[in-house]
Amino acid sequence: MRTREITVSSPTSHQYRPAEVPIERVFSAFLMDESDRLGDRTFKRYHDVVASFAWYLNRQGGSALEPAALDFLSAAGDDPRPDRLRFVDLFGPEWILPLYEPFFGEFLPCRDEVSRTGLISIATVLRRLATWLHRKGFARAEESRAASARALAAKRDLPLAREIRDWLWANSAAAPLHLEVLEGEFEFSHLEHRLMWLETEERGTFGPLLVLPIAAMSCPFGWSFTGRLGRVPAGWELLEIEAVLPQGPA
């Protein structure tokens, strides 16, 4: 199973202070550059994607910080003024690309309000941003390539993950009573006689998952899902499925 925690080391060890070039200013520069080549409708989509990603950074960016940086962010968050500084005001562009993985791997798969077309748009714009950051000297080449590959994988995988989730749920049927109920994240392990078997760190491999074979065979091995399972004598039934989580690029 994948480890779902991420910590980004600080580029410096001294006392934190607001970045000279904060993320908010970098995002504005990116949008200004892109406005020269985009039509009004496409530019609005870019603007909305960047605004959504900034919203995510302001609320979840602290999960990637080491303790000293997190203390710095928390102190700013305690400021009662409505114009208090946010994550994107305090930290520089070196913090953007490391947060692609939790954004694409954990946050977006659970956002039901984002359509499949919207998922593709988000991945497209953030892939463009990764390339732009390197071109403007805000990211190293290897960081940009890895983030671009992550966005490309999300563009391909997130709509499919949504489809698989809906397909599994539509092809499941729960009995009224269960011998055991499990809740958490479950990895698609392997097929056996056209039935899907699952894996967790705690239980190892177990199954089968009682869905139609055509639904089971649509599940990519190594991907996982979050939800609840109920055990019956023949195997395990889906009681709830929240999101299918694609595996990022190797």
Side-chain angles (χ1 to χ4, degrees), residues 2-227:
R2 290 167 289 164
T3 300
R4 308 192 67 79
E5 296 180 358
I6 175 172
T7 300
V8 183
S9 298
S10 164
T12 61
S13 58
H14 57 70
Q15 183 68 31
Y16 279 91
R17 57 181 61 87
E20 292 184 9
V21 183
I23 292 171
E24 178 69 23
R25 193 186 305 172
V26 172
F27 284 170
S28 295
F30 169 67
L31 289 172
M32 183 171 292
D33 280 1
E34 293 300 291
S35 68
D36 294 335
R37 69 177 191 87
L38 299 175
D40 291 346
R41 184 174 179 180
T42 304
F43 177 76
K44 183 182 184 304
R45 186 169 73 245
Y46 270 57
H47 179 275
D48 291 347
V49 168
V50 171
S52 295
F53 188 49
W55 181 91
Y56 168 80
L57 294 179
N58 287 330
R59 284 154 181 79
Q60 301 294 330
S63 64
L65 300 178
E66 65 181 19
L70 185 57
D71 290 344
F72 172 60
L73 178 63
S74 297
D78 291 337
D79 187 338
R81 293 174 297 180
D83 61 345
R84 64 182 179 271
L85 297 176
R86 306 160 300 166
F87 186 95
V88 297
D89 304 311
L90 294 169
F91 294 94
E94 68 273 16
W95 301 91
I96 296 174
L97 298 184
L99 286 161
Y100 271 30
E101 177 55 41
F103 179 70
F104 286 125
E106 300 174 24
F107 179 74
L108 276 185
C110 299
R111 306 302 292 191
D112 284 345
E113 73 275 15
V114 181
S115 67
R116 293 175 189 176
T117 301
L119 294 171
I120 293 172
S121 292
I122 290 170
T124 298
V125 174
L126 293 187
R127 187 183 184 207
R128 179 84 179 178
L129 174 62
T131 302
W132 182 90
L133 288 170
H134 170 56
R135 189 167 70 247
K136 295 297 183 177
F138 292 123
R140 297 192 302 270
E142 58 271 24
E143 292 176 320
S144 176
R145 284 194 297 268
S148 180
R150 186 65 186 92
L152 183 61
K155 181 179 180 179
R156 177 194 65 223
D157 293 341
L158 288 178
L160 177 61
R162 182 74 59 79
E163 183 177 341
I164 289 172
R165 186 201 65 177
D166 295 346
W167 184 238
L168 284 174
W169 187 242
N171 286 278
S172 63
L177 297 175
H178 297 90
L179 303 173
E180 182 181 2
V181 174
L182 295 180
E183 181 173 0
E185 181 179 343
F186 308 94
E187 183 174 316
F188 299 123
S189 174
H190 66 279
L191 282 174
E192 188 173 313
H193 303 300
R194 300 201 301 166
L195 293 174
M196 175 59 69
W197 289 68
L198 305 171
E199 182 177 343
T200 67
E201 292 181 353
E202 295 78 14
R203 300 182 72 99
T205 302
F206 67 99
L209 180 64
L210 299 176
V211 295
L212 292 179
I214 191 171
M217 289 187 288
S218 71
C219 304
F221 303 139
W223 288 23
S224 60
F225 70 91
T226 55

